[in-house]
Amino acid sequence: MFDAQVKTTEPTTVAFVTMHGPYAQVPEAMGRVYGWAAQRGLQPTGMPSAVYFTDPAEVPEDQAVWEVRAPVAGSPDACEADESGCGVKCIPAQRVATAMHRGPYETIAPTYEALAEWVAGNGMTIIGPPEESYFSDPATTAPEDYLTEVRFPVA
């Protein structure tokens, strides 16, 4: 059963790394941003996420641009990405339409499609790139049990 809702996210400070190319790099990007944060004494808090700046239906995967984000505690100063590609920034609160996907990441496309249809059918407009928030650790969770929240910023 498809279940969607609209909510407002909380402002969040994140460590981030912007990536280019195949999404298979997500595990490496997660390790990179969490390692970078740990080296700087930043304390991770909450669930990691990824934002997809290019549309896979329009841009070949080898040209994709996306970002992995790790929420961090406190209010560390924002900083541009350094030579490692990692930095810190504040993400403002935003109104999002959300739907939970259960299962492997490779099967998430229908959740995106259903959420986009739900947004349009409820008189809203998508106003920014989609985000995925990850509620499962692939190291300890079977792929069929992964929980991923898909979010579209909406107006």
Side-chain angles (χ1 to χ4, degrees):
M1 178 178 109
F2 180 77
D3 185 30
Q5 64 177 339
V6 174
K7 67 181 183 180
T8 300
T9 62
E10 294 292 324
T12 308
T13 301
V14 299
F16 71 93
V17 62
T18 303
M19 301 292 291
H20 300 269
Y23 306 119
Q25 300 175 90
V26 168
E28 177 226 327
M30 290 282 186
R32 197 160 133 197
V33 76
Y34 277 95
W36 183 88
Q39 289 174 349
R40 280 149 187 82
L42 300 173
Q43 181 64 44
T45 181
M47 307 311 301
S49 63
V51 177
Y52 298 94
F53 298 115
T54 51
D55 183 345
E58 298 175 10
V59 176
E61 188 175 353
D62 65 337
Q63 297 173 25
V65 179
W66 45 280
E67 183 174 275
V68 167
R69 297 175 175 172
V72 293
S75 299
D77 290 336
C79 65
E80 295 293 322
D82 62 16
E83 66 281 348
S84 73
C86 296
V88 174
K89 63 181 165 182
C90 297
I91 307 299
Q94 62 181 346
R95 184 172 180 244
V96 295
T98 73
M100 191 64 75
H101 172 75
R102 183 183 189 106
Y105 304 130
E106 298 79 19
T107 65
I108 204 166
T111 302
Y112 272 88
E113 293 163 7
L115 184 57
E117 288 177 18
W118 185 87
V119 165
N122 283 278
M124 294 174 280
T125 302
I126 296 170
I127 58 169
E131 179 177 352
E132 295 176 3
S133 186
Y134 304 106
F135 287 81
S136 305
D137 180 351
T140 60
T141 307
E144 61 271 13
D145 293 326
Y146 291 172
L147 291 176
T148 307
E149 185 181 47
V150 175
R151 299 177 180 168
F152 287 126
V154 294

